[in-house]
């Protein structure tokens, strides 16, 4: 049904958008016959109908928004509701950086040179959803940080959907440019307030120049009537550090695609993930690091906890070019199944063409340690609380590099909530 709607809208597109849509149509939606979607069935998403033009009216209050905050009075935040930036709900204190909606930037002549230099240059043109996003992109975030500028406050991006009677399709586009020596931390979250479904197709491009540092935290705790397909691409220059942390708790189906591209020496890349899901939720993490230059390091650490009939997928790849000597690449995926009906498909992979490298990968799938559980219960701790403490310890090392304390506290509270215990972890 969604494909039929897309075909109907083809005549309304022109130029590069039409070219992108033609490319998408040549691919079609991925199916389980495609190796990259072998364990993720998108039929539930693609057989629904969606409204491509959401109603802009809403009645979201600041009180509702406060419930989504992380105790972040000292943060900045920007709020998109039903595809539009709402300044009255946002808080921006940045003076020496451009903090704007991408829609505004794309319609201003003075920004065209920087868009030409960066926009849509690292998003993979051979993926169906990136082309679909380019064709219908209708909202998003733009931040250009000048050389040697440090953004002191974390910035929280809220994408909210409310007051939609029909299922709604959002194509979100984010562009972050951190110039030489700059620093920034971004938090991104999506929230559907309706009983109708949302499908969010998000593409993010992150450029981290030499000696710059950029952290992007994805807090995925949406409702059971939300689908999220996310593609994030990060390109790093020499001596830079970039992190993408992905915390997946909510959403009916979530697919995270993450690509790091090394374009200089002495680069550090960090990818961490914590997934805790139940019911019939599905979360699929696909990661790739492209080591194209020597003397670089990458770290992937993903932890999964699955109960009921939840399904997890991890497919991590590390590519080491023949000139990328002295590469150090670490990849680990550990999972705990709490129910007989829960499943995980995990596939860490290395593709190495250089000789002098240190590369390791591994995965584990198991249950909780019964001896440790007995030890805690023998000291008067209830079964649920003992289980929660062990699972928090299991997931904790994937959270260690979060230096935003309110975010770390929020993750801990969500972990306790998902494990159905009323304790502070």
């Amino acid at each position: 049904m969604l494909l039929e709607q897309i075909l109907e809208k083809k005549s309304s597109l022109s130029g590069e958008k039409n070219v992108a849509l033609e490319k998408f149509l040549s691919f079609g939606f991925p199916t389980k016959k495609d190796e990259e979607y072998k364990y993720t069935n998108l039929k539930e998403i693609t057989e629904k109908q969606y409204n491509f033009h959401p109603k802009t009216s809403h009645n979201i209050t600041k009180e509702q928004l406060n419930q989504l905050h992380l105790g972040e009075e000292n943060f900045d935040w920007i709020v998109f509701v039903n595809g539009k930036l709402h300044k009255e709900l946002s808080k921006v204190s940045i003076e020496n950086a451009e903090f704007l909606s991408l829609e505004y930037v794309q319609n201003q002549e003075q920004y065209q040179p920087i868009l030409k230099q960066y926009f849509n240059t690292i998003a993979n043109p051979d993926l169906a959803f990136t082309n679909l996003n380019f064709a219908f992109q209708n909202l998003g975030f733009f931040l250009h940080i000048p050389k040697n500028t440090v953004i002191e406050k974390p910035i929280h991006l809220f994408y909210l959907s409310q007051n939609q009677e029909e299922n709604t399709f959002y194509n979100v586009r984010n562009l972050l440019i951190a110039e030489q020596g700059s620093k920034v931390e971004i938090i991104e979250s999506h929230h559907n307030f309706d009983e109708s479904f949302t499908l969010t197709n998000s593409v993010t491009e992150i450029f981290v120049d030499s000696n710059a540092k950029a952290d992007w935290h994805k807090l995925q705790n949406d409702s059971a009537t939300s689908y999220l397909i996310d593609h994030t691409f990060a390109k790093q220059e020499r001596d830079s550090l970039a992190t993408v942390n992905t915390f997946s708790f909510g959403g009916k189906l979530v697919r995270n695609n993450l690509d790091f591209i090394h374009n200089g020496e002495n680069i550090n890349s960090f990818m961490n993930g914590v997934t805790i899901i139940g019911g019939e939720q599905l979360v699929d993490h696909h990661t790739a690091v492209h080591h194209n230059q020597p003397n670089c390091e990458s770290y992937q650490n993903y932890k999964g906890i699955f109960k009921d009939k939840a399904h997890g997928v991890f497919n991590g790849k590390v590519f080491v070019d023949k000139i990328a000597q002295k590469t150090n690449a670490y990849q680990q995926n550990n999972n705990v199944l709490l129910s007989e009906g829960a499943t995980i498909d995990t596939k860490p992979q290395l593709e190495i063409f250089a000789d002098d490298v240190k590369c390791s990968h591994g995965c584990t799938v198991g249950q909780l340690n019964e001896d440790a559980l007995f030890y805690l219960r023998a000291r008067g701790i209830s079964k649920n609380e003992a289980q929660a403490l062990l699972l928090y310890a299991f997931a904790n090392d994937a959270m260690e590099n979060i230096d935003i304390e309110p975010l770390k506290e929020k993750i801990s509270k969500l972990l306790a909530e998902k494990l159905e215990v009323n304790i502070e972890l």
Side-chain angles (χ1 to χ4, degrees):
M1 287 186 180
L2 177 55
L3 185 58
E4 293 171 3
Q5 287 184 280
I6 291 169
L7 286 168
E8 289 174 2
K9 294 183 178 298
K10 186 176 181 299
S11 60
S12 65
L13 302 177
S14 60
E16 292 182 333
K17 287 183 175 290
N18 188 60
V19 172
L21 186 60
E22 287 284 4
K23 204 162 188 181
F24 162 77
L25 293 172
S26 70
F27 297 132
F29 284 112
T31 69
K32 295 190 76 173
K33 292 181 180 179
D34 298 293
E35 184 63 27
E36 296 301 300
Y37 281 80
K38 184 177 180 180
Y39 303 110
T40 300
N41 191 346
L42 299 179
K43 225 173 170 186
E44 178 183 354
I45 293 175
T46 58
E47 289 190 348
K48 285 184 171 64
Q49 284 192 323
Y50 299 89
N51 177 20
F52 283 58
H53 304 286
K55 292 193 298 183
T56 57
S57 61
H58 74 90
N59 54 10
I60 290 175
T61 64
K62 289 193 175 182
E63 287 72 26
Q64 285 177 297
L65 189 58
N66 286 339
Q67 292 178 5
L68 302 177
H69 281 301
L70 313 174
E72 52 197 37
E73 293 82 3
N74 295 321
F75 290 15
D76 280 330
W77 56 83
I78 183 168
V79 180
F80 292 87
V81 183
N82 302 337
K84 295 295 180 184
L85 171 63
H86 284 260
K87 292 182 179 179
E88 77 281 3
L89 297 175
S90 303
K91 173 176 172 277
V92 181
S93 60
I94 297 171
E95 296 178 358
N96 52 357
E98 292 162 294
F99 189 101
L100 304 163
S101 75
L102 188 59
E103 181 183 24
Y104 175 83
V105 169
Q106 288 175 322
N107 290 302
Q108 298 298 313
E109 186 64 33
Q110 67 265 34
Y111 293 108
Q112 297 315 302
I114 199 165
L115 288 178
K116 186 175 181 181
Q117 183 179 352
Y118 291 102
F119 182 72
N120 207 45
T121 59
I122 56 173
N124 191 334
D126 296 322
L127 297 175
F129 280 102
T130 57
N131 283 286
L132 186 61
N133 176 279
F134 186 89
F136 292 108
Q137 170 242 313
N138 55 6
L139 75 153
F141 160 79
F142 169 84
L143 178 59
H144 176 212
I145 310 167
K147 183 177 178 181
N148 297 324
T149 299
V150 176
I151 307 298
E152 299 288 352
K153 297 180 179 181
I155 302 164
H156 194 159
L157 306 180
F158 291 96
Y159 289 104
L160 311 181
S161 181
Q162 190 215 41
N163 202 27
Q164 306 303 315
E165 296 170 1
E166 304 173 85
N167 300 333
T168 309
F169 187 23
Y170 294 99
N171 284 278
V172 176
R173 193 74 180 223
N174 301 309
L175 177 59
L176 172 64
I177 305 163
E179 288 196 3
Q180 182 180 348
S182 63
K183 291 183 181 180
V184 66
E185 289 202 89
I186 306 291
I187 303 167
E188 175 191 5
S189 60
H190 299 255
H191 303 275
N192 177 20
F193 288 91
D194 297 320
E195 293 184 5
S196 56
F197 280 85
T198 58
L199 168 57
T200 301
N201 176 25
S202 178
V203 174
T204 299
E205 293 178 291
I206 302 170
F207 294 86
V208 191
D209 209 341
S210 57
N211 290 295
K213 180 179 183 292
D215 295 344
W216 196 291
H217 310 279
K218 297 177 181 289
L219 181 54
Q220 298 171 342
N221 188 38
D222 208 347
S223 72
T225 56
S226 65
Y227 306 120
L228 173 64
I229 308 293
D230 184 280
H231 288 76
T232 298
F233 304 89
K235 185 177 182 181
Q236 294 179 249
E237 305 300 330
R238 67 171 299 124
D239 301 309
S240 65
L241 190 156
T243 300
V244 175
N245 291 322
T246 307
F247 306 106
S248 303
F249 301 107
K252 184 67 167 59
L253 186 154
V254 177
R255 166 69 179 236
N256 292 303
N257 303 272
L258 178 58
D259 279 77
F260 273 73
I261 303 155
H262 287 188
N263 199 45
E265 295 191 41
N266 302 315
I267 286 172
N268 282 275
S269 301
F270 294 89
M271 289 143 282
N272 300 290
V274 176
T275 300
I276 307 175
I277 55 174
E280 295 184 350
Q281 291 177 278
L282 185 150
V283 172
D284 180 346
H285 295 290
H286 267 60
T287 67
V289 184
H290 304 269
H291 285 272
N292 300 324
Q293 298 293 330
N295 301 302
C296 295
E297 299 186 5
S298 67
Y299 303 88
Q300 301 183 53
N301 188 12
Y302 281 76
K303 299 295 181 74
I305 300 169
F306 307 94
K307 60 181 182 177
D308 305 323
K309 294 183 180 180
H311 181 195
V313 182
F314 176 80
N315 190 326
K317 299 174 183 174
V318 175
F319 302 98
V320 183
D321 191 89
K322 61 183 178 181
I323 68 166
Q325 304 295 341
K326 304 291 183 182
T327 288
N328 185 0
Y330 170 85
Q331 182 187 79
Q332 189 68 30
N333 175 231
N334 303 108
N335 304 280
V336 173
L337 303 180
L338 298 178
S339 307
E340 288 187 8
T343 56
I344 173 70
D345 294 289
T346 178
K347 187 180 178 183
Q349 302 170 71
L350 302 175
E351 194 170 308
I352 303 169
F353 297 97
D355 301 323
D356 187 7
V357 301
K358 287 183 180 179
C359 295
S360 65
H361 67 171
C363 65
T364 60
V365 181
Q367 286 81 37
L368 284 176
N369 186 304
E370 291 295 332
D371 290 339
L373 199 59
F374 176 80
Y375 177 87
L376 291 172
R377 294 198 67 192
R379 278 145 184 81
I381 300 173
S382 71
K383 182 179 178 180
N384 281 354
E385 290 180 351
Q387 186 182 73
L389 289 170
L390 291 175
L391 290 172
Y392 181 77
F394 165 78
N396 189 56
D397 65 333
M399 299 160 50
E400 284 182 344
N401 77 330
I402 306 174
D403 52 14
I404 305 175
E405 199 57 37
L407 177 59
K408 187 176 285 189
E409 290 177 10
K410 179 71 171 181
I411 300 302
S412 298
K413 287 178 182 178
L414 287 172
L415 195 153
E417 183 182 306
K418 293 293 287 187
L419 297 175
E420 300 175 351
V421 293
N422 187 26
I423 58 175
E424 288 191 14
L425 296 172

